């Protein structure tokens, strides 16, 4: 990874139109993790590409940085990633939690755990789904498989309290360390007003 970054930074006599990296799937994930500052959880959520799949990064001249270009990848989508989550809803005077799987996880803007609304539009009920397309024989089969999973999405409407991104596996203190508390995680107007009121008191 360090050597590849040196290659990106190295000055050459003339400009390069493209750089082709031929490597293993795990290395591809590690390179993107380093470049895009993925968390370990995001890295684990991304599946290895299938045989001879490729991911394309295009330079954004305005930002002077590279971005993933899904339409040019094979299959034509962002690197396929899913994450098991738990949706916490209001139920009478209390709360209830239900297991979901978030598909096309990388399509969420960063930081991903701070974007409740888009996440609620990309959920499949339950855990334990077989969502790894990498062992299918061809890019066409992998693309069809991904489209099939996206068709199973059941967006959540109505009042939602929050998403437990770690499914109760870490403490509240651990969640606080991993999330930007300055960003609203609830959809209710009252929650936003309460946070604004607290901020005014600081």
């Amino acid at each position: 990874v360090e050597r590849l970054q040196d290659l990106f930074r190295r000055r050459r006599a003339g400009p390069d139109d493209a750089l082709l990296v031929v490597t293993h799937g795990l290395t591809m994930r590690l390179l993107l993790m380093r470049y895009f500052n993925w968390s370990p959880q995001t890295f684990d959520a991304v599946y290895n590409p299938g045989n001879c799949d490729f991911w394309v990064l295009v330079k954004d001249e305005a930002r002077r940085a590279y971005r993933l270009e899904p339409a040019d990848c094979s299959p034509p989508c962002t690197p396929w990633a899913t994450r098991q989550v738990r949706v916490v809803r209001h139920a009478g005077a209390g709360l209830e939690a239900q297991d979901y799987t978030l598909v096309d996880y990388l399509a969420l803007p960063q930081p991903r755990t701070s974007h409740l609304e888009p996440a609620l539009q990309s959920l499949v009920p339950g855990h334990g789904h077989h969502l790894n397309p990498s062992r299918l024989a061809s890019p066409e089969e992998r693309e069809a498989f991904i489209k099939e999973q996206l068709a199973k999405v059941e967006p959540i409407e109505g009042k939602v309290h929050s998403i437990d991104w770690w499914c109760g596996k870490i403490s509240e203190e651990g969640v606080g360390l991993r999330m930007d508390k300055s960003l609203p995680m609830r959809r209710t107007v009252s929650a936003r007003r309460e946070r604004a009121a607290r901020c005014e008191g600081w």
Side-chain angles (χ1 to χ4, degrees):
V1 174
E2 294 289 346
R3 290 183 179 180
L4 187 65
Q5 287 187 324
D6 290 340
L7 184 61
F8 282 150
R9 291 190 291 261
R10 191 180 302 162
R11 294 184 178 179
R12 294 173 175 265
D16 292 322
D17 293 329
L19 173 65
L20 175 64
V21 179
V22 181
T23 186
H24 297 286
L26 177 60
T27 307
M28 291 168 67
R29 291 166 58 208
L30 287 168
L31 290 172
L32 294 192
M33 180 187 188
R34 181 61 181 266
Y35 188 78
F36 292 112
N37 295 316
W38 288 349
S39 67
Q41 290 79 19
T42 297
F43 174 81
D44 288 339
V46 178
Y47 293 97
N48 270 354
N51 188 38
C52 294
D53 283 354
F54 54 84
W55 297 338
V56 177
L57 277 67
V58 174
K59 190 169 185 178
D60 186 332
E61 297 292 349
R63 296 176 53 241
R64 299 181 62 82
Y66 288 89
R67 69 175 188 276
L68 278 163
E69 190 62 38
D72 293 335
C73 296
S74 176
C77 62
T78 53
W80 181 241
T82 66
R83 181 167 179 170
Q84 294 182 347
V85 299
R86 187 167 291 164
V87 176
V88 183
R89 308 184 196 223
H90 296 278
L95 300 171
E96 66 176 12
Q98 185 175 358
D99 290 340
Y100 283 87
T101 299
L102 197 158
V103 297
D104 205 12
Y105 179 59
L106 288 188
L108 297 180
Q110 290 181 284
R112 294 178 179 86
T113 55
S114 297
H115 292 274
L116 179 65
E117 294 286 351
L120 293 176
Q121 305 303 309
S122 302
L123 295 173
V124 175
H127 289 170
H129 303 289
H130 297 287
L131 298 172
N132 185 359
S134 64
R135 295 189 180 276
L136 296 175
S138 69
E140 291 76 19
E141 289 179 273
R142 292 190 284 275
E143 180 181 0
F145 176 86
I146 290 171
K147 288 181 177 179
E148 180 183 343
Q149 307 316 309
L150 292 174
K152 298 177 182 178
V153 167
E154 298 181 10
I156 293 182
E157 306 295 340
K159 184 179 287 188
V160 170
H161 176 271
S162 62
I163 290 179
D164 179 356
W165 296 90
W166 296 272
C167 299
K169 296 177 181 177
I170 63 175
S171 66
E172 292 185 7
E173 291 78 8
V175 172
L177 290 172
R178 289 166 171 81
M179 296 182 66
D180 184 355
K181 288 296 186 180
S182 67
L183 295 173
M185 283 302 297
R186 301 179 183 180
R187 290 203 293 186
T188 58
V189 174
S190 61
R192 294 190 181 99
R193 288 175 177 171
E194 289 174 8
R195 182 172 281 108
R198 289 199 299 271
C199 290
E200 290 176 1
W202 291 349

